[in-house]
């Protein structure tokens, strides 16, 4: 019999509607799941089960009155860099001051307005600049598929929480792969929406918020709410009437590019390559036209972005007093300090590589409706490492499949493609044309149906 903590948001809403389940009993089941897993995973911060119980009772009352909201009573979490009223925002670092937030940032506000039971926040690494659960402020987050392995990052706690069943709905953020990488390494659906599709505050070039869930339908349910307008984001897209739950797609005749190799960075590990090729074959067997597509980002693009992001990070970290600098994660401090003495022309040329990456990505997809690729060239790695090669001199060798979509505004989704012989998840990335968020969700749903169900890691005894 399925544990209540493992039910999808769609299943919960149906059960609430039919009065076969109550948000109160579901929330208690998720609290029990967290009690079993959290001592091993350390995915949460500002976890407040008592507040969740209060929210669940209020939701139950709305259902009984026939006044239920869009996601009423569905448990979920929010990444800690997304403000929630009354809760501080450490940004993953012990160097940050802890002052309660005055309001909910747009993604948190939309979920609260929709009636979600918000259990707490999920952990992240210092300043969100690692694909890892390593942090100077939070305890080390781990992957429930294998607790010696990394959940990825920077939406580290969200990846672990989703795979472990801390409710069905989780929000992450992504500026180079920070939703898709942990989703891929934890077996989740992780959507990086088109830039501006989900209002966010503060906004920054390439930075988005998006859903991390176990199913495509649940990601679509979240997008229906997260994509609602918010005037605080001056870079958000105009509101658009999208039927997010219209997930059917006719694969016949679709043109799909298959990118096996990023051209730079870590080589694609054989089991990862085989899983992505198997997915491409399934699409071809269903009638799509699948063709190989070559690499489209270069070493100059990746290194230029590294220069710009290092200098951007050092502008903040270098301004801290020495006692606070000493609290920053050493890996991040060493990486950021590499930007301290970069000449202005080099930083400018590094920033210009974002536009070069954008142009290359948009030209690459022009002949295609979608491009398939790995999310990461390798499966997860030791939990204590900051990246798959753990070298601050080479920090971005694993993001060569993910980062271009951030620069080009394109939607891209990670969806579980299979597991390695060691039982670690492999992520398939589906990238669409600019603003075709629904299209990538439809493709992910088609693959989800061809792939079949996932057997999730079992919770230890509490």
């Amino acid at each position: 019999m399925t544990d209540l903590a493992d039910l999808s948001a769609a299943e919960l809403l149906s059960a609430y509607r039919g009065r076969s389940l109550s948000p109160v009993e579901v929330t208690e089941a998720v609290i029990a799941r967290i009690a079993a897993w959290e001592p091993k995973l350390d995915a949460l911060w500002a976890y407040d089960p008592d507040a969740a119980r209060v929210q669940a009772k209020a939701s139950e009352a709305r259902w009984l009155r026939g006044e239920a909201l869009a996601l009423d009573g569905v448990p979920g979490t929010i990444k800690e860099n997304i403000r929630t009223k009354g809760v501080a925002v450490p940004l993953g670092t012990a160097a940050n001051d802890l002052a309660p937030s005055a309001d909910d940032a747009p993604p948190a506000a939309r979920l609260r307005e929709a009636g979600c039971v918000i259990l707490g926040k999920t952990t992240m690494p210092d300043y969100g600049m690692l694909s890892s659960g390593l942090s100077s402020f939070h305890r080390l987050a781990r992957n429930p598929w294998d607790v010696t392995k990394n959940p990825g990052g920077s939406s580290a706690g969200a990846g672990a929480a989703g795979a472990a069943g801390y409710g069905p709905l989780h929000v992450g953020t992504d500026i180079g792969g920070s939703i898709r990488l942990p989703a891929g390494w934890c077996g989740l659906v992780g959507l990086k929406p088109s830039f501006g599709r989900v209002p966010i505050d503060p906004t920054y070039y390439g930075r988005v918020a998006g859903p991390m869930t176990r199913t495509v339908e649940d990601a679509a349910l979240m997008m229906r709410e997260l994509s609602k307008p918010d005037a605080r984001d001056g870079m958000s897209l105009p509101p658009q009437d999208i039927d997010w739950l219209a997930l059917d797609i006719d694969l016949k005749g679709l043109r799909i590019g298959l990118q096996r190799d990023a051209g730079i960075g870590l080589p694609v590990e054989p089991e990862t390559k085989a899983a992505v090729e198997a997915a491409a074959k399934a699409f071809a067997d269903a009638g799509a036209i699948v063709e190989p597509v070559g690499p489209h980002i270069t070493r100059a693009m990746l290194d230029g972005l590294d220069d710009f992001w290092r200098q951007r990070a050092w502008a903040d970290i270098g301004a801290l007093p020495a006692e606070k600098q000493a609290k920053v994660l050493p890996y991040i401090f060493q990486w950021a300090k590499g930007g301290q003495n970069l000449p202005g022309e080099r930083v400018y040329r590094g920033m210009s590589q974002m536009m070069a990456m954008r142009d290359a990505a948009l030209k690459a997809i022009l002949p295609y409706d979608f491009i398939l690729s790995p999310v990461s060239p390798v499966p997860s790695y030791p939990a204590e490492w900051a990246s798959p090669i753990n070298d601050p001199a080479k920090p971005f060798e694993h993001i060569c499949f993910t980062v271009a979509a951030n620069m080009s505004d394109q939607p891209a989704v990670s969806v579980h493609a299979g597991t390695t012989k060691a039982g670690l998840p492999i992520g398939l990335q589906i990238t669409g044309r600019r603003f075709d968020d629904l299209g990538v969700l439809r493709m992910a749903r088609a693959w989800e149906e061809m792939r079949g169900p996932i057997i999730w890691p079992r919770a230890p005894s509490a």
Side-chain angles (χ1 to χ4, degrees):
M1 186 173 177
T2 303
D3 188 300
L4 298 185
D6 291 315
L7 293 176
S8 71
E11 290 169 329
L12 289 178
L13 291 171
S14 177
Y16 296 161
R17 199 172 295 116
R19 299 197 179 183
S20 61
L21 285 178
S22 157
V24 172
E25 60 185 315
V26 171
T27 298
E28 289 298 338
V30 173
I31 289 170
R33 174 65 59 83
I34 292 170
W37 262 124
E38 187 60 7
K40 295 180 179 292
L41 299 184
D42 290 306
L44 296 181
W45 185 68
Y47 171 49
D48 193 342
D50 289 337
R53 289 182 173 107
V54 171
Q55 294 171 61
K57 287 183 178 179
S59 173
E60 180 183 61
R62 287 192 294 271
W63 279 104
L64 291 173
R65 292 196 306 268
E67 299 173 357
L69 304 169
L71 296 173
D72 224 329
V74 180
T77 68
I78 297 171
K79 189 175 176 180
E80 67 101 320
N81 64 338
I82 298 173
R83 296 188 314 277
T84 51
K85 187 175 181 179
V87 180
V89 182
L91 293 178
T93 180
N96 227 29
D97 292 329
L98 299 181
S101 298
D103 63 354
D104 286 336
R110 300 296 86 77
L111 293 187
R112 204 183 297 278
E113 290 163 3
C116 283
V117 174
I118 298 172
L119 296 154
K121 311 297 285 287
T122 49
T123 59
M124 60 183 280
D126 290 52
Y127 303 104
M129 290 308 298
L130 292 179
S131 299
S132 172
L134 197 62
S135 163
S136 64
F137 180 80
H138 302 295
R139 292 169 61 91
L140 177 64
R142 295 176 180 271
N143 192 322
W145 291 84
D146 178 345
V147 295
T148 71
K149 301 297 184 184
N150 214 297
S154 65
S155 304
Y166 290 14
L169 305 181
H170 308 275
V171 183
T173 62
D174 190 314
I175 199 171
S178 289
I179 285 173
R180 290 157 290 160
L181 288 162
W185 285 323
C186 293
L188 300 176
V189 175
L191 175 65
K192 184 211 81 67
S194 298
F195 181 71
R197 178 71 70 202
V198 172
I200 193 169
D201 179 38
T203 190
Y204 192 82
Y205 188 83
R207 180 173 181 258
V208 301
M212 298 175 69
T213 61
R214 287 184 172 187
T215 71
V216 175
E217 185 177 17
D218 280 4
L221 283 167
M222 289 186 76
M223 284 300 295
R224 189 176 64 183
E225 306 309 314
L226 294 174
S227 62
K228 290 179 177 177
D230 194 301
R232 290 175 288 177
D233 184 352
M235 298 176 77
S236 59
L237 296 173
Q240 188 176 351
D241 187 15
I242 297 173
D243 185 356
W244 289 103
L245 297 180
L247 292 170
D248 291 336
I249 188 170
D250 184 359
L251 298 174
K252 290 186 176 67
L254 282 181
R255 298 189 64 85
I256 298 175
L258 171 60
Q259 186 184 20
R260 296 180 174 91
D261 179 16
I264 55 172
L266 290 171
V268 178
E269 173 270 338
E271 288 181 288
T272 298
K273 182 179 179 182
V276 171
E277 289 178 338
K281 183 178 184 301
F283 280 109
D285 290 345
I289 301 165
V290 179
E291 300 174 350
V293 59
H296 52 266
I297 67 170
T298 65
R299 173 55 58 185
M301 293 175 191
L302 196 68
D303 289 351
L305 190 66
D306 186 17
D307 283 346
F308 175 66
W309 279 354
R310 282 177 192 257
Q311 199 279 334
R312 170 177 167 257
W314 186 252
D316 294 330
I317 295 171
L320 296 174
E323 62 271 19
K324 287 195 172 183
Q325 289 184 358
K327 294 180 179 181
V328 175
L329 191 75
Y331 180 104
I332 288 291
F333 186 83
Q334 184 180 345
W335 168 74
K337 196 170 184 181
Q340 181 179 21
N341 296 314
L342 291 178
E345 181 182 356
R346 180 169 165 179
V347 175
Y348 167 75
R349 293 191 182 280
M351 183 179 181
S352 71
Q353 291 301 319
M354 293 194 297
M355 294 304 295
M357 197 179 292
R358 173 194 184 90
D359 291 345
L362 294 178
K363 286 175 183 174
I365 202 168
L366 198 58
Y368 304 106
D369 299 298
F370 304 95
I371 290 178
L372 307 181
S373 72
V375 173
S376 163
V378 296
S380 187
Y381 53 94
E384 296 79 10
W385 286 14
S387 77
I389 58 175
N390 204 34
D391 181 356
K394 299 178 179 179
F396 299 146
E397 301 303 298
H398 60 290
I399 69 170
C400 300
F401 289 108
T402 55
V403 68
N406 294 85
M407 303 302 111
S408 63
D409 301 344
Q410 292 171 261
V413 66
S414 172
V415 60
H416 183 63
T419 56
T420 66
K421 291 178 182 176
L424 296 175
I426 297 167
L428 169 70
Q429 180 172 252
I430 304 169
T431 303
R433 295 185 177 189
R434 291 174 74 207
F435 315 129
D436 189 17
D437 303 72
L438 183 58
V440 298
L441 285 177
R442 285 170 168 169
M443 285 285 288
R445 173 64 173 268
W447 166 245
E448 186 179 61
E449 291 176 342
M450 291 187 285
R451 181 205 65 209
I454 298 173
I455 299 174
W456 295 96
R458 293 192 58 173
S461 300

